[in-house]
Every structure is written in C-alpha cells, then in structure tokens.
Amino acid sequence: MTYLNFLLTLILVSTSSSLLAGSKDDPWLTSLMIEQLEYVPDADEDSYALTGDFWIGKDLDKLWFKTELEKEGGDFEGAELQMLYSKAVAAYWDLQLGLKHDFEQPQERTWTVIGLQGLAPYYFEIDSALFIGESGRVAARFEAEYEMLFTQQWILVPELELNFFGQNDPVNQLGSGLADASFGLRLRYEFIREFAVYVGYEYQRKFGKTADFAINAGGAKDSNEWLVGISFWF
C-alpha cells in the first residue's frame, strides 16, 4: 500500500466511524492548540520554535495533525508533520496510527507511526510513539509533562522528551540507541484558559554516536537556553 493510499484510508475510516456515532449525541468537534510558540535569544543567532496540533472528529474517532518547527537565524533546523487517525481505547487514552514526515534534513524521511497518547495516573500527560521507516529503520519518542498549579493562573510545567533510533544515520547525524534528551521548565501565566504567556528554561543533551556526530561537526553535545513564548487554543 502506498503512503497516499494509506492517508486516504485513514481519512475514510475516521469519517465513517464518526458518522456511525450519530450527529446529536456525538457532534463533530475541532481543536487547534499552539502549545509552544517561543523565542530564544542568542548572542550569535536567535531561534524560534513552534509546537502545535489540530484535530477534527468525534468523541471516539479523530483525524489528528501534529507539527514541530525549529528555526535558527534564517534557516530551519528541523520540521516535522504527522497525520494520524486517533481512536479512544480507554478512559483518557488514544491509540494513534498514521504517518510522519521529517523535513529540513540532509535526507528527508517518512515514517509509519504507532502511538499512544493520554493522561497517566497523577495527571502526567504522555505522548509516546514508535516510528517505522524505509529499509527497516526504527525510531521511538517518549514525551511527558506535568502541570503544577501555584494558583489558577500561575502554572509551572516540567517537560521531558527522549528520542531513540534503531540504526545509525550518518547522513542526518543520528546515532543508534538513545540519541537525545531534553528537559524543560516553563512558567506560564494564563490571562484566560485559552491564552497564556510564559518564560522557561530548556536543557538538551545528545548521547552516544549522535553526540560524536555533533562534536565532529564542530558542535557540542549539550546546550541550555532561556526562552519566552505564548500558547493558545480554541
């Protein structure tokens, strides 16, 4: 099955499943969330980042889009887009199937996605995914965050992201095993539930062969940065 046929299948399954749920008790819903739109000041080149998602569907079945963009100076450092069919499989948990495409790399790659997203005990938000690519390539990602409410408007959000790869990818300077990890703290102020501003700190580190690739290219295996941003949804 080609990637185009797979995408069409996802759309048809999502639409047909949602229609079977009925229009009165299970209405069509949409959501657009820009979780992070941020600016990182730097003495050499300022950078910008965007993380957001959009979904459309009904209570149990949704068509979901996720994107991440990173731009340093005038160049994109990374960009990805995911298109997923999301099915509720338990209270607060969705199984997601679809495709991910990595842009702005020396060699762009397309992956099949099998993911699980939801709310773990103690209100940890989890987003995990297995990526299967061409030529037997395999990768995985695990993300977790937690909202610590100081008041109804001041909220501190610790975040953790881990990325793994099954094989070395010298073209894109990625090594097998745990490739990189990032830990961030963002303190946001919600003017209203749908709009907030925040300041934050993020530490990133590369491991193993990925760190070796970065050092050989004149970079560093770790970095830390202060940032400011906004988030909103509707």
Side-chain angles (χ1 to χ4, degrees):
M1 180 181 291
T2 66
Y3 285 123
L4 179 58
N5 288 338
F6 187 48
L7 287 176
L8 292 175
T9 301
L10 288 176
I11 296 172
L12 290 174
V13 170
S14 176
T15 303
S16 60
S17 299
S18 300
L19 289 175
L20 289 175
S23 58
K24 293 184 179 180
D25 297 332
D26 192 14
W28 280 94
L29 301 171
T30 60
S31 173
L32 173 65
M33 173 173 283
I34 303 301
E35 186 175 358
Q36 296 172 357
L37 178 58
E38 52 197 36
Y39 164 70
V40 181
D42 188 270
D44 297 323
E45 289 185 311
D46 296 341
S47 61
Y48 306 85
L50 168 69
T51 301
D53 57 57
F54 169 79
W55 60 257
I56 180 171
K58 298 197 174 185
D59 189 34
L60 301 180
D61 303 274
K62 298 178 178 67
L63 184 62
W64 205 300
F65 297 88
K66 301 179 182 181
T67 188
E68 293 185 13
L69 304 172
E70 295 181 11
K71 188 174 184 180
E72 183 174 336
D75 300 321
F76 280 100
E77 292 297 308
E80 72 173 50
L81 176 64
Q82 296 187 45
M83 180 179 177
L84 308 167
Y85 166 62
S86 185
K87 175 73 174 180
V89 293
Y92 309 114
W93 289 97
D94 288 353
L95 178 66
Q96 299 183 326
L97 304 172
L99 297 174
K100 178 173 82 83
H101 187 78
D102 294 329
F103 301 88
E104 303 300 330
Q105 291 187 332
Q107 184 171 349
E108 297 185 359
R109 301 205 182 278
T110 300
W111 309 80
T112 299
V113 183
I114 304 173
L116 185 66
Q117 175 176 299
L119 192 64
Y122 303 102
Y123 302 100
F124 285 91
E125 296 183 25
I126 305 297
D127 191 353
S128 58
L130 174 68
F131 307 113
I132 303 171
E134 299 176 352
S135 303
R137 295 186 180 276
V138 178
R141 176 181 297 162
F142 176 82
E143 298 176 82
E145 69 175 53
Y146 180 75
E147 295 188 346
M148 303 172 60
L149 275 69
F150 296 140
T151 70
Q152 292 298 315
Q153 292 178 298
W154 287 102
I155 303 169
L156 180 66
V157 184
E159 300 177 358
L160 174 68
E161 179 178 326
L162 306 173
N163 287 289
F164 304 84
F165 292 88
Q167 301 86 10
N168 290 326
D169 184 357
V171 176
N172 292 323
Q173 298 188 339
L174 297 169
S176 61
L178 176 60
D180 61 76
S182 64
F183 175 76
L185 283 173
R186 289 169 173 80
L187 177 64
R188 74 173 185 256
Y189 179 82
E190 293 185 346
F191 291 94
I192 55 175
R193 288 293 297 169
E194 296 84 1
F195 180 81
V197 297
Y198 61 85
V199 295
Y201 168 83
E202 186 162 313
Y203 175 76
Q204 300 176 342
R205 176 161 182 163
K206 297 178 174 64
F207 297 90
K209 194 66 176 179
T210 305
D212 294 339
F213 284 134
I215 294 172
N216 293 336
K221 67 179 182 181
D222 59 1
S223 64
N224 57 86
E225 54 197 22
W226 295 94
L227 53 92
V228 296
I230 63 173
S231 63
F232 57 90
W233 61 271
F234 54 85

